Amino acid sequence: MTTLRDLPSVDELLQTKTAAELIARFGRPLTLSAIRETLDKIRVRFSSGSITVLPLHDLVLAQTDVLLGEWIKPTLLPVINASGVILHTNLGRAPLSDATIRAMDMVSRGYSTLEYDLQKGVRGSRLIHAEQILQKLTGAESAVIVNNNASAVLLVLSALANRKRVIISRSQLVEIGGGFRIPDVMKQSGAKLVEIGTTNKVHLSDYEEALQEQSALIMRAHRSNFKIIGFTTEPELRDIADLAHRAGVFVMDDLGSGALYDTAKYGLIHEPTVQESLAAGVDVVCFSGDKLLGGPQAGIIIGRKDLLDKIKKHPLARAVRADKTCLAGVTATLLHYLKDEAEREIPILKMMALTPKQVKGRVEAWIRELGRGEVVEGQSTVGGGSLPDESFPTFLLSLGVESSDKFLKRLRMQNPPIVARTVNDKILFDPRTVLPEQEGALLVGIKNVFEEI
Ligand SMILES: *Cc1c(COP(=O)(O)O)cnc(C)c1O
């Protein structure tokens, strides 16, 4: 009769050629623990009667191989974004420019002047990087880069308004996505939230009234992925800033997207720019590095030097500081703007600038290559919490398939995975968000799916 004693031992298995190959591929400690876990599972199954025959060496090691494969399977993979959503938050927002990638690569490979003063040969500060470029670009007195914009907002409020009143309009108490709620972040910073106005209307007199009591800040938050239309009023930022300054109160603006460029150029509505906020008299402006700016994940804080000095010294600044790759990447992306080459170099701006005719040409080339599909009109969107409801006319590759859900799933199982969308049982691919160097892989992926189905 078979008993568990017939199961090969770890030592026996390790003597085999197959185990040696596994060790070469996965390393000894990981292979050992996978062999042990495989044997444990077999014992449990055998004891419970769900298997009656014990596997031989080869089969045990084949199961070990599968287990090892599952253990090291990467979860963060590059994908082809054919959805037409340019700043797709779930797909990693902005793809980076070549110069940005090179800059990040360079500081990662070796040592750098992250916190080192070359002139003096002593410790320097990481807070100086990109400051000069941001000063030149925006005219701000001072700047600092942190890990992301959520932490930028938290840091500014903590440094300038802890235990103090912060006035904000109810029309701006929004949730941005990923659980980032403006009122919650304000509370987290220790600021005392003072809500004024109503959801659709806030008047200058509401601000005036709230300023009767000693306050630290007026905050303005960009509504991002939310739009209020119809019977609405909101005072001009300039008027709010004037009022605040007369009362000795500062104004911070959480711009979210942080466009340095006028998006109206691409036929979209005008997104408030960083420069406009400063020109309106705002004292501190925060925005993201990986939204409309088109760089790596970062939070950028710019504004008055005395306030920025306070922000930089706050203990939370250390907790949310940017790492060297982020600093190198943001600097390289900002440099594109400074050198007036942003539209030529920054991928998301190139995507926005594509004309419908150019997009159509790409769809037609895909159809020739695939030998199927048709060109249809559609819309691409910006995404990333910017410009809600705004879209650009585009052309799409449309493929008729039997089961769109099944087809989309097969597309996601390709290497690299392909993310597309479906309307009325047609699968739609938007060339606008497919990087030129991914076109070959996209077409191979689509052909594979037709063969698999
Ligand atoms: C996106 C956004 C944030 C959060 O920025 P992250 O860079 O994602 O941390 C904060 N405020 C506003 C208004 C936003 O749009």
Side-chain angles (χ1 to χ4, degrees):
M1 205 186 77
T2 328
T3 71
L4 275 176
R5 251 172 293 154
D6 299 323
L7 194 64
S9 71
V10 175
D11 281 337
E12 278 165 22
L13 289 166
L14 283 176
Q15 304 297 321
T16 62
K17 200 167 142 246
T18 317
E21 281 163 12
L22 289 179
I23 289 171
R25 274 164 56 209
F26 299 99
R28 191 176 174 85
L30 196 65
T31 305
L32 257 176
S33 61
I35 290 175
R36 291 204 180 101
E37 190 164 316
T38 307
L39 290 174
D40 284 346
K41 280 185 184 160
I42 294 167
R43 279 189 206 101
V44 170
R45 268 185 263 152
F46 186 77
S47 305
S48 69
S50 64
I51 52 169
T52 50
V53 183
L54 287 171
L56 297 173
H57 294 67
D58 280 354
L59 198 52
V60 174
L61 288 173
Q63 290 174 13
T64 305
D65 196 353
V66 171
L67 188 62
L68 282 163
E70 282 168 17
W71 282 359
I72 65 150
K73 201 170 115 187
T75 52
L76 186 55
L77 292 165
V79 303
I80 297 175
N81 174 13
S83 72
V85 182
I86 295 176
L87 291 167
H88 199 307
T89 296
N90 302 145
L91 302 183
R93 292 194 185 156
L96 303 176
S97 76
D98 289 339
T100 303
I101 294 163
R102 276 199 303 275
M104 293 172 89
D105 179 273
M106 206 165 62
V107 292
S108 320
R109 275 171 197 281
Y111 301 101
S112 62
T113 54
L114 180 64
E115 293 182 352
Y116 190 70
D117 184 330
L118 280 179
Q119 292 291 328
K120 301 190 189 122
V122 296
R123 184 189 171 143
S125 167
R126 75 170 67 209
L127 304 181
I128 59 150
H129 303 294
E131 183 162 38
Q132 188 176 310
I133 296 176
L134 280 163
Q135 285 165 340
K136 286 239 165 356
L137 264 174
T138 64
E141 286 174 10
S142 184
V144 64
I145 294 172
V146 295
N147 189 47
N148 57 12
N149 189 37
S151 52
V153 175
L154 181 64
L155 174 61
V156 171
L157 289 170
S158 304
L160 305 183
N162 185 252
R163 293 169 203 247
K164 295 191 191 136
R165 283 163 46 99
V166 176
I167 301 164
I168 186 165
S169 165
R170 289 196 172 86
S171 62
Q172 295 161 19
L173 293 175
V174 294
E175 174 172 324
I176 276 130
F180 183 89
R181 291 180 162 181
I182 295 286
D184 292 348
V185 176
M186 293 176 76
K187 277 181 205 138
Q188 200 64 42
S189 71
K192 288 187 205 146
L193 178 63
V194 180
E195 301 175 21
I196 59 164
T198 60
T199 308
N200 58 328
K201 287 209 169 214
V202 58
H203 302 284
L204 209 53
S205 56
D206 293 320
Y207 284 98
E208 229 162 355
E209 211 167 289
L211 285 169
Q212 298 293 322
E213 250 186 85
Q214 178 91 45
S215 309
L217 279 180
I218 289 180
M219 175 170 176
R220 185 181 79 154
H222 189 300
R223 274 188 288 275
S224 296
N225 43 14
F226 181 67
K227 198 165 163 181
I228 298 179
I229 53 166
F231 188 57
T232 63
T233 310
E234 208 150 64
E236 291 289 326
L237 192 55
R238 177 181 301 279
D239 296 334
I240 297 174
D242 284 348
L243 195 70
H245 293 155
R246 279 203 299 278
V249 168
F250 298 115
V251 181
M252 81 166 282
D253 191 8
D254 172 16
L255 266 182
S257 232
L260 288 176
Y261 246 64
D262 187 359
T263 45
K265 212 169 152 173
Y266 306 111
L268 300 165
I269 53 158
H270 175 76
E271 174 86 351
T273 66
V274 175
Q275 296 91 329
E276 281 162 6
S277 271
L278 290 173
V282 169
D283 303 287
V284 179
V285 182
C286 313
F287 53 100
S288 280
D290 51 349
K291 290 186 182 169
L292 279 176
L293 195 76
Q297 178 190 306
I300 301 174
I301 309 171
I302 58 171
R304 279 173 58 140
K305 182 168 185 316
D306 55 341
L307 300 182
L308 263 287
D309 284 348
K310 235 173 152 176
I311 290 164
K312 290 176 186 178
K313 279 198 211 101
H314 191 275
L316 204 53
R318 171 65 175 77
V320 299
R321 72 182 185 183
D323 86 307
K324 60 190 175 187
T325 53
C326 164
L327 292 167
V330 173
T331 307
T333 300
L334 290 169
L335 214 48
H336 290 313
Y337 289 91
L338 198 60
K339 288 159 71 182
D340 197 26
E341 59 182 29
E343 275 189 297
R344 208 169 65 227
E345 299 294 336
I346 297 180
I348 64 145
L349 295 182
K350 286 197 270 186
M351 290 175 186
M352 294 207 275
L354 280 178
T355 62
K357 191 162 163 243
Q358 287 169 316
V359 181
K360 193 174 184 185
R362 284 174 72 186
V363 179
E364 284 164 351
W366 292 0
I367 290 172
R368 278 196 299 278
E369 176 67 30
L370 291 170
R372 64 170 97 221
E374 51 184 338
V375 194
V376 297
E377 284 182 28
Q379 301 288 322
S380 319
T381 53
V382 181
S386 6
L387 304 155
D389 273 2
E390 283 293 302
S391 52
F392 328 77
T394 196
F395 284 98
L396 308 163
L397 165 66
S398 166
L399 295 175
V401 298
E402 257 172 44
S403 157
S404 50
D405 284 349
K406 208 160 139 197
F407 201 93
L408 284 177
K409 178 151 192 209
R410 293 271 177 167
L411 284 171
R412 293 197 301 272
M413 295 302 121
Q414 296 302 306
N415 179 21
I418 298 163
V419 179
R421 57 190 155 122
T422 173
V423 175
N424 299 336
D425 266 339
K426 301 272 188 206
I427 309 288
L428 303 175
F429 301 82
D430 191 337
R432 194 183 292 278
T433 50
V434 175
L435 300 172
E437 60 269 29
Q438 292 180 319
E439 279 194 321
L442 172 77
L443 298 174
V444 170
I446 296 173
K447 284 183 196 166
N448 283 346
V449 176
F450 275 112
E451 270 166 35
E452 288 166 16
I453 268 176

